[in-house]
Amino acid sequence: MLQHPKVKGPSVGLLGFSKGGDLCLSMASFLKGITATVVINACVANTIAPLRYKDMIIPHLSSDPGKYTITESGFFNLVDIWNNPLEEPNQESLIPLEKAQGPFLFIVGMDDHNWKSEFYAHVASERLQVHGKDRPQIICYPGTGHCIDPPYFPLCRASVHEVLGQPIFYGGESKAHSRAQVDAWQQIQTFFHKHLNGEKSVKPSKL
């Protein structure tokens, strides 16, 4: 990315959502040249599959699929299937955020039915502070579900999951979710402009 002609450098920022979020946390923790990381509704532990980097392996966070529930509409609610990453032996799946070079911004939908995103964001904050790092910026949006897209995308409360092949419930209430998308988009841009360009604000989006 740093060699791409469109990339200003000397560093890059990362933006990840859901599983992509914990991948970004891992990249920020192990790779050089990353000085700002934003994650949207993500876990603070490695998920889904083991992560291999050089001679190290971070196991995936274990789960109990039997703890899923089904909504009145027949959608799967997965928020309770994931085991607590703070409990043994799940601690081995925690991503060592304290190794990262730059700050973090956690965008949290408080009606996320895929991950306990608010809990994970606060776990990340406590871990960073225990290791003498600055606490991350955490922005929580009430009534907001899992899929926080850029502004004016329609609310996606449920869909057939590409990997699981099942109809999954994501949560979110239309009005609150839409407002969150607009605000989160501005917060993300402001964060990147501040930590990549040294600017404190960004002009409102015309999207």
Side-chain angles (χ1 to χ4, degrees):
M1 288 296 295
L2 288 172
Q3 296 175 355
H4 194 285
K6 296 284 187 179
V7 175
K8 179 180 178 181
S11 60
V12 297
L14 301 176
L15 171 62
F17 159 67
S18 194
K19 170 60 186 176
D22 74 63
L23 287 175
C24 284
L25 295 178
S26 296
M27 292 173 67
S29 300
F30 295 113
L31 303 181
K32 295 180 179 179
I34 298 169
T35 55
T37 304
V38 179
V39 295
I40 302 172
N41 287 331
C43 186
V44 73
N46 178 53
T47 63
I48 312 299
L51 178 70
R52 293 174 172 83
Y53 179 68
K54 295 184 177 179
D55 59 350
M56 178 198 66
I57 298 178
I58 298 180
H60 64 278
L61 179 65
S62 60
S63 62
D64 183 353
K67 290 184 178 180
Y68 74 85
T69 58
I70 299 180
T71 69
E72 293 181 357
S73 300
F75 300 120
F76 286 75
N77 185 341
L78 304 180
V79 71
D80 290 323
I81 72 170
W82 305 102
N83 292 327
N84 188 338
L86 297 180
E87 298 176 353
E88 291 290 354
N90 304 307
Q91 290 181 344
E92 295 181 5
S93 68
L94 285 167
I95 298 166
L97 305 174
E98 65 278 2
K99 295 184 178 181
Q101 299 175 347
F104 295 97
L105 167 60
F106 288 83
I107 302 291
V108 173
M110 297 181 71
D111 193 39
D112 183 359
H113 285 264
N114 271 204
W115 303 107
K116 296 181 180 178
S117 301
E118 183 179 11
F119 169 67
Y120 297 144
H122 288 291
V123 169
S125 179
E126 292 178 8
R127 183 183 180 102
L128 288 167
Q129 292 178 79
V130 164
H131 286 85
K133 300 284 186 172
D134 292 337
R135 68 174 62 188
Q137 183 180 358
I138 301 174
I139 304 176
C140 297
Y141 296 101
T144 303
H146 184 64
C147 304
I148 304 178
D149 295 308
Y152 316 121
F153 274 65
L155 166 62
C156 179
R157 298 191 77 234
S159 73
V160 175
H161 197 283
E162 185 175 355
V163 176
L164 302 177
Q166 299 290 341
I168 305 299
F169 181 62
Y170 301 125
E173 183 272 320
S174 295
K175 189 173 183 179
H177 194 97
S178 296
R179 287 179 173 176
Q181 287 183 171
V182 172
D183 187 73
W185 184 247
Q186 294 300 320
Q187 296 284 357
I188 291 168
Q189 292 181 83
T190 297
F191 181 82
F192 280 140
H193 277 271
K194 176 181 178 181
H195 296 290
L196 296 178
N197 293 337
E199 300 174 12
K200 293 185 178 181
S201 62
V202 62
K203 293 181 180 180
S205 172
K206 294 182 180 179
L207 186 67

